[in-house]
């Protein structure tokens, strides 16, 4: 009897009927699962049932209690509500109606520390909590997002089927796998968004250089179309081509009319903050975030443009050759950006004891999401070949690509400097590359300076672990500072 009753119940509940939530419900229902839908403003449930959800395996709920009563055990409930207090509020409202073993999945853009906290708090109460990155926008949610679930691993066997069937597929495999404990899923989603910032910034710089070259917008679009057939084949290159081609109702290109100030919701900033907190040089994403900040200072820039002198130089080389060098610079910088992103993942995994599978993460990003690309297939291959790979830069495939690209890359950055075109992401990628491949960096001088002014001590080459202090001036004593940090 209980079994039959269970059959009449919903497979999964979803709270939050904004566009992402509605699309995800439709996607889940299309894959043969019955979904129970609920929203804080209940009228949205009614209108959803009467319109988009009509005739589909979708049941409405009038209250949290109603939602809980209409779900099979163990209950599986996805929250797709505004990140922050709304998530905690729904968790609190759900708890009295749940039983031990039930599963709450937060599919919003929550900060990974919040997910960490919720996962731990709910585990104590016997509730299995999952924080899942969901990427791909409205279209992805409806027809195949990239899904990055993490949290309480006990939940995975109960949600795997639904998650992997609704996720995007790349080379026949779902772009969804278990990421790791507690906040791991949302951390990986955050890094994904940071990398997205970096990719977009790089493409923006390329566009800026193309403008300086003086080529037509049509030529730019054709160049991107061409690039999209090769190793740069990706969603962002593809839409850039479409944007460049797009003409307004007056027959003019729309792009030059758009105000050149970029907004941000914060996930790029979170990635940069995490990079600083973990001490990992994720410089490209940092530059991408700062570039948006600089773009937002439109009034100041307008004033400065009238007074601050530039180099007054014009491009005078072979444009076709330079366009190919720009392509190489973009590709090489992208490799650096992803290498930095995976370095951050590795460090966070160490700190949080997450067992991250980097090849699987690359596959999760390979399809369905904004950074989807052929390139991620190569990253997956590199990590599959060597799961302990220290850096993508030294994986044979990427090492070869960097070797081929570096002359062009250097020329592009140098030309940007000569022409006065800012290329912060392309340039910081190159600076990172040169720093990373340097056996010796000038940090010895830094150590000496710190010891000079603050007696912080230093290590001598070949005598690591032994800290010595020098009395550089002959006065000031020989006592070193052990606790003071400059
Ligand atoms: P609403 O339709 O009742 O506004 C995206 O904003 C989704 O998050 C919507 O489903 C919205 O519900 C929900 N939401 C936003 N803020 C919320 C809050 N403070 N409490 C509950 N739900 C919230």
């Amino acid at each position: 009897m209980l079994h039959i009753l269970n059959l009449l119940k919903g497979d999964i509940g979803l709270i939050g009927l904004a566009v992402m939530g509605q699309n995800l419900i439709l996607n889940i229902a299309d894959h043969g699962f019955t979904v129970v839908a609920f929203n804080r403003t209940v009228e949205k449930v009614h209108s959803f049932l009467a319109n988009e959800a009509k005739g589909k395996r979708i049941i409405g709920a009038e209250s949290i209690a109603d939602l809980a009563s209409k779900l099979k055990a163990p209950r599986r409930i996805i929250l797709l509500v505004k990140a922050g207090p709304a998530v905690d509020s729904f968790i609190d409202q759900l708890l009295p109606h749940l039983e031990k073993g039930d599963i709450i999945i937060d599919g919003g853009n929550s900060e990974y520390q919040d997910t960490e906290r919720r996962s731990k708090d709910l585990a104590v109460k016997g509730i299995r909590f999952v924080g899942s990155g969901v990427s791909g926008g409205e279209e992805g949610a409806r027809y195949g997002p990239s899904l990055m679930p993490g949290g309480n691993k006990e939940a995975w066997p109960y949600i795997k089927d639904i998650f992997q069937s609704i996720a995007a597929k790349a080379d026949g495999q779902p772009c969804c796998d278990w990421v790791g404990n507690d906040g791991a899923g949302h951390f990986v989603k955050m890094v994904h968004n940071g990398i997205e910032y970096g990719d977009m910034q790089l493409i923006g710089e390329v566009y800026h250089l193309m403008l300086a070259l003086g080529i037509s917008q049509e030529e730019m679009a054709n160049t991107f179309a061409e690039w999209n057939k090769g190793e740069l084949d990706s969603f962002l290159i593809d839409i850039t081509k479409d944007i460049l081609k797009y003409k307004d109702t007056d027959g003019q290109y729309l792009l030059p009319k758009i105000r050149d100030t970029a907004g941000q919701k914060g996930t790029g900033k979170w990635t940069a903050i995490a990079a600083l907190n973990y001490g990992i040089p994720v410089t490209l994403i940092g530059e991408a975030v700062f570039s948006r900040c600089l773009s937002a200072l439109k009034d100041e820039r307008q004033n400065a443009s009238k007074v601050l002198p530039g180099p007054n130089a014009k491009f005078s080389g072979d444009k076709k050759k330079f366009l190919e060098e720009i392509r190489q610079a973009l590709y090489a910088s992208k490799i650096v950006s992803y290498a930095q992103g995976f370095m951050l993942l590795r460090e966070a995994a160490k700190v949080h004891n997450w067992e991250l599978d980097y090849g699987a993460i690359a596959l999760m990003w390979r399809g369905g999401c904004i950074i989807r690309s052929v390139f991620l297939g190569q990253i997956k291959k590199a990590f599959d070949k060597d799961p302990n790979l220290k850096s993508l830069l030294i994986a044979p495939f990427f090492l070869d690509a960097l070797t081929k690209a570096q002359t062009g890359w250097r020329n592009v950055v140098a030309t940007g400097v000569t022409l006065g075109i800012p290329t912060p992401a392309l340039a910081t990628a190159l600076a990172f590359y040169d720093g990373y491949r340097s056996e010796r960096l000038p940090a010895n001088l830094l150590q000496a300076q710190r010891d000079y002014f603050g007696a912080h001590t230093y290590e001598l080459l070949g005598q690591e672990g032994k800290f010595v202090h020098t009395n550089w001036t002959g006065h000031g004593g020989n006592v070193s500072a052990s606790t003071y940090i400059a």
Side-chain angles (χ1 to χ4, degrees):
M1 184 62 188
L2 198 88
H3 189 64
I4 294 167
L5 276 179
N6 228 10
L7 278 181
L8 298 172
K9 289 187 170 184
D11 295 300
I12 190 160
L14 191 143
I15 300 177
L17 296 184
V19 63
M20 286 294 282
Q22 291 197 10
N23 280 354
L24 206 65
I25 292 176
L26 295 171
N27 184 0
I28 299 171
D30 280 352
H31 284 87
F33 303 100
T34 303
V35 193
V36 186
F38 180 69
N39 193 65
R40 173 179 64 170
T41 315
V42 182
E43 293 86 78
K44 273 197 196 163
V45 178
H46 302 151
S47 79
F48 181 54
L49 286 181
N51 297 291
E52 296 86 350
K54 206 169 177 176
K56 297 195 179 271
R57 307 169 71 117
I58 299 167
I59 304 168
E62 298 291 325
S63 65
I64 295 277
D66 190 28
L67 169 80
S69 73
K70 285 176 171 161
L71 288 170
K72 287 176 189 169
R75 294 181 185 85
R76 295 168 284 194
I77 299 164
I78 302 179
L79 297 176
L80 261 179
V81 296
K82 202 163 171 234
V87 176
D88 289 312
S89 158
F90 272 119
I91 291 173
D92 289 344
Q93 292 173 58
L94 277 165
L95 280 176
H97 304 282
L98 300 186
E99 289 162 292
K100 280 198 168 31
D102 285 351
I103 297 160
I104 300 177
I105 304 147
D106 173 18
N109 242 343
S110 294
E111 286 197 57
Y112 75 96
Q113 293 100 326
D114 283 340
T115 304
E116 191 108 349
R117 165 179 60 80
R118 290 168 185 145
S119 177
K120 286 185 171 142
D121 289 354
L122 287 169
V124 175
K125 297 180 171 125
I127 302 297
R128 295 149 169 172
F129 186 73
V130 174
S132 181
V134 177
S135 178
E138 298 170 26
E139 184 86 0
R142 180 67 186 89
Y143 299 108
S146 158
L147 296 172
M148 298 151 249
N152 188 334
K153 198 172 181 182
E154 284 178 20
W156 182 230
Y158 297 98
I159 62 170
K160 185 176 176 185
D161 242 21
I162 299 180
F163 268 53
Q164 292 198 331
S165 63
I166 65 165
K169 307 289 179 302
D171 306 324
Q173 288 175 279
C175 297
C176 168
D177 205 347
W178 185 253
V179 177
N181 288 339
D182 300 328
H186 274 135
F187 191 88
V188 166
K189 169 66 178 13
M190 178 194 76
V191 174
H192 161 283
N193 284 29
I195 287 178
E196 177 185 314
Y197 271 57
D199 277 355
M200 291 169 72
Q201 174 64 24
L202 286 170
I203 294 173
E205 290 175 18
V206 163
Y207 167 56
H208 204 170
L209 286 165
M210 286 177 170
L211 284 169
L213 276 186
I215 64 172
S216 71
Q217 198 163 311
E218 189 187 349
E219 253 180 296
M220 293 181 198
N222 293 339
T223 305
F224 276 96
E226 205 48 46
W227 290 357
N228 203 37
K229 292 179 193 154
E231 50 202 4
L232 284 172
D233 178 347
S234 61
F235 172 72
L236 282 170
I237 294 285
D238 193 36
I239 67 163
T240 303
K241 174 251 309 168
D242 289 345
I243 290 166
L244 285 162
K245 275 192 181 159
Y246 193 89
K247 290 198 171 144
D248 206 356
T249 43
D250 59 4
Q252 304 292 313
Y253 283 119
L254 176 60
L255 184 60
K257 299 184 193 175
I258 297 177
R259 190 174 149 90
D260 52 323
T261 55
Q264 47 182 317
K265 276 195 181 163
T267 39
K269 183 175 83 180
W270 295 350
T271 313
I273 291 171
L276 289 171
N277 283 339
Y278 292 111
I280 301 298
V282 188
T283 57
L284 200 143
I285 295 173
E287 286 294 352
V289 175
F290 287 132
S291 294
R292 290 196 190 194
C293 302
L294 181 59
S295 83
L297 304 176
K298 176 84 177 168
D299 292 347
E300 280 186 52
R301 287 192 288 115
Q302 250 161 353
N303 290 336
S305 73
K306 296 183 189 104
V307 289
L308 293 178
N312 256 340
K314 277 213 153 51
F315 182 80
S316 60
D318 177 340
K319 287 184 187 175
K320 196 157 176 263
K321 181 167 167 274
F322 192 62
L323 278 175
E324 170 54 18
E325 289 182 339
I326 293 178
R327 190 192 67 77
Q328 290 169 353
L330 173 55
Y331 187 48
S333 302
K334 199 171 149 96
I335 295 171
V336 168
S337 179
Y338 283 66
Q340 292 181 340
F342 277 94
M343 282 166 74
L344 178 59
L345 289 179
R346 191 178 288 285
E347 182 60 23
K350 207 160 79 189
V351 172
H352 294 272
N353 277 323
W354 296 330
E355 281 177 27
L356 299 185
D357 177 338
Y358 302 101
I361 292 170
L363 177 63
M364 281 179 245
W365 296 345
R366 168 77 185 80
C369 60
I370 305 299
I371 63 170
R372 61 183 180 263
S373 65
V374 164
F375 174 73
L376 276 158
Q378 294 297 345
I379 296 182
K380 173 166 166 41
K381 272 191 204 157
F383 279 117
D384 283 353
K385 218 183 236 170
D386 179 5
N388 295 315
L389 189 61
K390 274 264 176 317
S391 167
L392 276 177
L393 302 186
I394 54 169
F397 179 86
F398 294 111
L399 175 60
D400 183 51
L402 289 165
T403 308
K404 285 182 183 139
Q406 74 151 323
T407 308
W409 188 13
R410 289 181 193 285
N411 192 37
V412 167
V413 172
T415 305
V417 172
T418 306
L419 298 179
I421 304 296
T423 57
L426 292 165
T428 200
L430 184 55
F432 177 88
Y433 174 77
D434 282 334
Y436 193 75
R437 65 179 190 82
S438 293
E439 193 192 340
R440 294 210 64 177
L441 285 170
N444 49 336
L445 176 58
L446 228 139
Q447 290 301 83
Q449 289 166 334
R450 294 178 72 241
D451 190 54
Y452 186 113
F453 65 67
H456 293 297
T457 73
Y458 55 85
E459 293 166 289
L460 286 168
L461 283 169
Q463 294 183 36
E464 285 76 12
K466 187 176 158 206
F467 293 86
V468 291
H469 169 60
T470 294
N471 184 350
W472 297 89
T473 56
H475 52 80
N478 292 315
V479 182
S480 64
S482 52
T483 51
Y484 171 76
I485 296 169

